[in-house]
Amino acid sequence: MSAASWHMAALALRLLAIDPAGLGGAVIRMRASPDRDAVIAAFDSPLPLRKMPPTISDEQLLGGIDLSATLASSQVIENKGFFSTPCVALIPMAERCTPTLAAKLCNLMDQSLPQGILALDEGAEPDEAVPPALAERLAFHIEPEGRRPPDWNVVPAGTNSKTTSVPAGTDTKTVPISDALIQLTTLAASFGIHSLRAPTLALRAARAHALFHGRTTLTEPDITAAASLVYPHRATLVPQEDAPADPPPPEDQAQDEPEGQDQSDDLTLPDADMLIEAVKALLPPGLLHGLVPAGTNRNSGGAGAGQTRTGNRRGRPLPSRPGRLDSSARIDLVATLRAAAPWQPLRRQQQPNRVGLLIRPSDIRLKRYAEQSDRLLIFCVDASGSAAMSRLGEAKGAIELLLADAYASRDHVSLIAFRGTDAEILLPPTRSLVQTKRRLSALPGGGGTPLASGLQNALLLAQQSRSKGLTPTVILITDGRANIALDGSANRAQAATDATQMAAALRSAGIASLVLDMSTRPQPALQALGATLNAPYVPLPRANAERLTNAVTAALDG
């Protein structure tokens, strides 16, 4: 299956090179690697590939008036848009495209301005994906499995020699469609694809496939290949029953057909059952679990719950600052005029022939806003033998309830478990509720209590996340019986000392914390640890999962 996925990727790239504007482009879901470089290099298009950063500004994307140059020269000077020169856009880290940028790209694609888009999706999790509106307009979803075969980009044996001479951008409308569109639309509906863009793109892919093989009419391989390339990652359901076969024509009608006449009108359409089976064989493995089309992004955004930071798009207004207009910032017109006003008499003496305001680039002021960053909840869970004997099950239930709240408020979550001789990051920062619950349910219990190692891992993770703009909060859930030192030795006294030192390091780093004592009786050592962390200490000797959740929520809100 891995080799077949690579050959399907090669075929998709060849068809895309024939009709990049009609097919829209492709989502290439691969991490940065030599294999991905080979996939990009296999896209043999006469149009140049031009990188488009996901942070591109409106002036760079759409063009517009260059305000600084216009004011300086007294002539209207316009910036050219990204697609003013024909090219194929290459978007790295396309999963970070904002909904605003995706909407603008979709609008441009609806106007047939882009000549194709290759969206490089580097998302590590299912909910990190290209915005759905943009992914819907791209015909192919390329996600090859396994290692790249040596001959993956070679034209298959027996292929018509005309395949290598098809010019890119050939008008695929010269290939007649007959009843192919009806069959592709019916097939799309059977897989729960309700957008008409999918069968339209599949028809264009079938036409390109016919031209690729030197044919002027659509045949069964063209329809099957197009459906196999366009439909699997768009499917939202799997047909459970085969479609009923068409009833045979009446005998008198069959006898009325002239002998020797080709009843297919030069078009050989595949059987509906064969098409369904061909597409079902290529469905993603997780389709039955998620039933989410490719490119669907569950992230709905929303205000963060972390620390306040400055931005240039939304939030509480802050005083403007000097800046340049070639960035994505917004100009503060009033502040710009206020900065330029005192210099008008002097500039008028230097340029007496100029009319109107004399604006210099140094006068430009940009808007600023205070916005909330996203919060990261780092669950540092005691999975040692003592915890497993007492409250680990209740802690798991409480964390699951907290995860649901974190998911609703768009918080990031991470999971660290310490047991045995050290701690382990079971889940890096993520917004995936399903993945977090799966890792949590598989959390084993038993062994020593390396509390210091758990705090150390929480500190490192919190510092890393803070450098990425997140606001971390460490939630320590333990019974407080530390007995494993940082060096892995079973030394209870040294383990307590190391835990205190790690708690002091967390406090000096300014990282907010919360200590939940889940032992059957409150532990003075854990209370002292909470004081060292400067964190709320919540003893819960007789609490179930719901009470644990309420305690954490109250502490975080407070």
Side-chain angles (χ1 to χ4, degrees):
M1 182 63 183
S2 60
S5 66
W6 278 97
H7 290 295
M8 293 291 288
L11 178 59
L13 292 172
R14 290 180 181 274
L15 301 185
L16 185 59
I18 295 175
D19 187 15
L23 292 172
V27 175
I28 303 177
R29 188 172 175 86
M30 300 176 67
R31 305 301 294 271
S33 63
D35 285 346
R36 193 184 74 175
D37 296 339
V39 169
I40 298 174
F43 179 59
D44 186 14
S45 172
L47 296 176
L49 283 175
R50 185 181 177 190
K51 285 189 176 181
M52 175 191 293
T55 57
I56 187 172
S57 65
D58 290 347
E59 291 78 11
Q60 294 170 328
L61 177 63
L62 306 174
I65 297 177
D66 189 337
L67 184 58
S68 298
T70 299
L71 293 175
S73 62
S74 297
Q75 296 179 354
V76 177
I77 299 178
E78 296 183 354
N79 292 322
K80 293 184 177 180
F82 186 90
F83 295 106
S84 59
T85 302
C87 66
V88 175
L90 183 67
I91 308 179
M93 297 183 293
E95 75 281 358
R96 299 187 180 182
C97 280
T98 62
T100 302
L101 175 59
K104 294 172 183 175
L105 289 175
C106 292
N107 186 32
L108 293 175
M109 295 185 71
D110 293 341
Q111 300 177 30
S112 302
L113 294 181
Q115 298 299 311
I117 293 177
L118 293 183
L120 303 182
D121 187 347
E122 303 178 18
E125 301 172 4
D127 57 356
E128 295 178 351
V130 178
L134 179 59
E136 184 187 7
R137 288 166 170 80
L138 307 182
F140 305 128
H141 184 95
I142 298 175
E143 189 175 2
E145 303 174 358
R147 301 185 61 180
R148 171 167 50 99
D151 60 342
W152 74 279
N153 197 28
V154 178
V155 178
T159 303
N160 193 304
S161 59
K162 295 182 181 180
T163 58
T164 58
S165 61
V166 179
T170 301
D171 187 7
T172 59
K173 295 181 180 179
T174 58
V175 180
I177 63 173
S178 187
D179 296 330
L181 182 58
I182 298 176
Q183 187 170 15
L184 288 172
T185 304
T186 304
L187 180 65
S190 66
F191 281 90
I193 305 172
H194 304 296
S195 173
L196 291 179
R197 287 193 179 93
T200 303
L201 292 174
L203 179 62
R204 285 186 172 271
R207 283 170 158 174
H209 190 270
L211 291 176
F212 178 68
H213 288 82
R215 293 188 288 268
T216 57
T217 58
L218 295 180
T219 60
E220 176 180 341
D222 302 326
I223 305 297
T224 304
S228 301
L229 289 172
V230 177
Y231 288 164
H233 290 277
R234 286 177 163 83
T236 60
L237 59 87
V238 180
Q240 300 299 324
E241 297 181 359
D242 295 337
D246 294 334
E251 295 182 0
D252 54 351
Q253 179 179 351
Q255 294 176 358
D256 291 340
E257 295 288 344
E259 295 183 1
Q261 180 179 351
D262 187 3
Q263 300 179 9
S264 62
D265 294 333
D266 296 331
L267 174 64
T268 305
L269 293 178
D271 181 71
D273 295 341
M274 294 176 57
L275 267 180
I276 291 178
E277 293 302 323
V279 176
K280 286 175 65 175
L282 297 173
L283 291 178
L287 177 64
L288 293 177
H289 301 286
L291 295 181
V292 179
T296 299
N297 191 340
R298 293 188 178 93
N299 293 351
S300 59
Q307 295 177 344
T308 301
R309 61 182 180 184
T310 58
N312 52 32
R313 287 300 170 190
R314 60 184 180 272
R316 181 173 56 85
L318 296 176
S320 59
R321 61 174 177 84
R324 299 177 58 186
L325 286 179
D326 55 357
S327 65
S328 59
R330 299 164 59 184
I331 184 173
D332 189 337
L333 184 58
V334 175
T336 299
L337 296 177
R338 186 181 294 114
W343 301 96
Q344 295 304 304
L346 180 60
R347 294 172 183 174
R348 190 70 60 194
Q349 294 177 5
Q350 296 174 350
Q351 296 178 300
N353 297 328
R354 291 284 304 276
V355 296
L357 292 174
L358 301 179
I359 307 294
R360 299 289 185 267
S362 59
D363 300 330
I364 302 299
R365 297 295 184 269
L366 303 179
K367 292 183 177 181
R368 292 192 305 158
Y369 300 92
E371 57 182 345
Q372 297 290 329
S373 64
D374 292 337
R375 182 171 61 183
L376 169 63
L377 302 181
I378 303 176
F379 292 98
C380 192
V381 183
D382 184 353
S384 62
S386 59
M389 292 297 293
S390 56
R391 307 286 295 285
L392 182 57
E394 296 174 2
K396 288 183 179 182
I399 293 176
E400 287 194 7
L401 295 175
L402 289 170
L403 289 175
D405 294 338
Y407 180 78
S409 60
R410 315 311 303 156
D411 289 337
H412 294 73
V413 295
S414 180
L415 183 61
I416 298 176
F418 55 94
R419 60 185 292 269
T421 59
D422 57 3
E424 179 184 4
I425 300 178
L426 296 181
L427 187 69
T430 178
R431 281 177 171 171
S432 176
L433 177 62
V434 176
Q435 186 177 7
T436 308
K437 294 176 67 174
R438 186 183 302 117
R439 298 288 181 88
L440 182 64
S441 62
L443 176 62
T449 308
L451 178 58
S453 180
L455 293 175
Q456 184 182 50
N457 279 266
L459 173 62
L460 295 176
L461 183 60
Q463 291 175 335
Q464 294 174 1
S465 63
R466 178 180 287 175
S467 65
K468 298 178 181 179
L470 299 175
T471 301
T473 298
V474 177
I475 301 176
L476 177 63
I477 304 178
T478 180
D479 61 1
R481 300 183 179 91
N483 51 24
I484 302 296
L486 277 176
D487 58 3
S489 61
N491 188 328
R492 189 177 296 274
Q494 184 62 37
T497 302
D498 292 344
T500 303
Q501 292 177 352
M502 287 296 101
L506 273 168
R507 177 176 180 175
S508 62
I511 298 172
S513 304
L514 173 64
V515 179
L516 292 182
D517 186 353
M518 65 177 190
S519 59
T520 55
R521 297 179 181 178
Q523 298 294 318
L526 196 56
Q527 187 174 4
L529 185 69
T532 304
L533 285 167
N534 193 25
Y537 166 75
V538 182
L540 297 169
R542 295 183 180 88
N544 53 19
E546 185 176 357
R547 290 190 62 187
L548 281 169
T549 304
N550 295 336
V552 174
T553 304
L556 293 177
D557 293 342

